[in-house]
Amino acid sequence: MLRRLMIGLLSAAAVAVSSSAYAKETRSTLPDRSASSLLSVTSVCDATMTNPDALACSGYFAGNLINGSPTDIANAQDAIELLPGDFEWDGNWAAVDATKIMQLVSGNVLDFGQTLFGLTIIGAHFGNVDGTDGNVSVFWLFDFGTEGASSIILDHPEGFSNAAIYTPGAPPVPEPATWGMMLFGFAIAGYALRRNRRPNFAQLA
C-alpha cells in the first residue's frame, strides 16, 4: 500500500515538473511585451459600426496592428486587454493569420468562411476608416451566442484592408438531455443491427 502511494506521488510530481517546464517553454516563445509601443488612439471606435453590433471595441489605433511583427503582436495584446472581460491573446500569430481575410464579400460583409460562436474578438485594419481618421486598426468584442453567425456586415466599409479572428468563441456543448437522446439513438440502432444479424431458424427448417 505504501509502495503504491509513493509511486503515485512520484508520478504526480513528474507530471507537475513536465507541465511547468512546458509552460515555461511556451511563454518564452511569445514576444517580449516590453516591445509594445505606446498605442496611439486616433479616435474612439464605434461598437455599432457592425451588424450585429459589437459588445465593445478597442481603438481606433494608429497604423496597421493586424500583422505578425513583434511590435504589433505586443500592441494587439495590449489592445485586446483594454476590452471588457478577462480576455488575453497568447500572441500566436500563425493561428490568427490562418483566419485573415483581405477583402469583403458584396462590398461590406466580413466572411471568415466559418460559423462564429460565443465571445469572439476580431481585429480589423482600415486604410481610411469612415470619418476623418486615416490608417487605423480596431478590435471588436462580439457575442454570437449559441446560434452563431456566419458573417458580419460593416455599416461603413470605406478603406477596409484586412481582418482576422484573435480569440474565437467555442461552439456550444450539447445539453445533457441531447447527449442522452444521442446515446439512446445509438443503442436502438445497435440493437436493430444485432437483431438483423441473427439467423432465422424458422426459414432454415
Side-chain angles (χ1 to χ4, degrees):
M1 180 71 176
L2 182 59
R3 186 167 179 250
R4 285 183 184 171
L5 181 62
M6 289 298 293
I7 290 172
L9 289 173
L10 288 172
S11 298
V15 169
V17 169
S18 63
S19 297
S20 62
Y22 176 74
K24 185 176 181 182
E25 181 184 349
T26 303
R27 282 198 299 271
S28 69
T29 64
L30 298 179
D32 181 2
R33 293 297 290 279
S34 65
S36 174
S37 64
L38 291 174
L39 290 171
S40 175
V41 179
T42 62
S43 68
V44 178
C45 58
D46 184 357
T48 66
M49 180 182 168
T50 60
N51 184 12
D53 291 347
L55 294 178
C57 62
S58 178
Y60 298 109
F61 302 107
N64 181 9
L65 275 59
I66 318 301
N67 65 75
S69 73
T71 297
D72 283 324
I73 287 176
N75 279 334
Q77 288 176 311
D78 290 343
I80 287 170
E81 281 189 3
L82 295 174
L83 291 167
D86 299 325
F87 299 102
E88 289 186 12
W89 175 47
D90 62 6
N92 182 356
W93 174 251
V96 172
D97 195 33
T99 70
K100 192 173 182 179
I101 56 174
M102 305 294 290
Q103 60 185 6
L104 299 170
V105 175
S106 302
N108 66 341
V109 177
L110 283 172
D111 188 343
F112 294 97
Q114 60 181 289
T115 303
L116 305 171
F117 295 97
L119 295 171
T120 302
I121 294 174
I122 294 172
H125 170 240
F126 293 85
N128 185 21
V129 74
D130 181 57
T132 58
D133 296 319
N135 183 26
V136 296
S137 297
V138 63
F139 294 85
W140 293 298
L141 170 63
F142 291 96
D143 185 358
F144 296 116
T146 57
E147 293 183 4
S150 59
S151 62
I152 301 156
I153 298 172
L154 298 182
D155 295 338
H156 300 286
E158 294 87 351
F160 173 81
S161 175
N162 52 66
I165 302 170
Y166 278 78
T167 59
V173 177
E175 296 286 334
T178 304
W179 280 113
M181 289 297 291
M182 287 172 61
L183 291 173
F184 179 72
F186 287 136
I188 292 295
Y191 173 77
L193 285 172
R194 283 191 65 187
R195 190 168 182 204
N196 288 338
R197 286 180 185 167
R198 289 180 182 173
N200 191 335
F201 293 107
Q203 291 180 350
L204 294 174

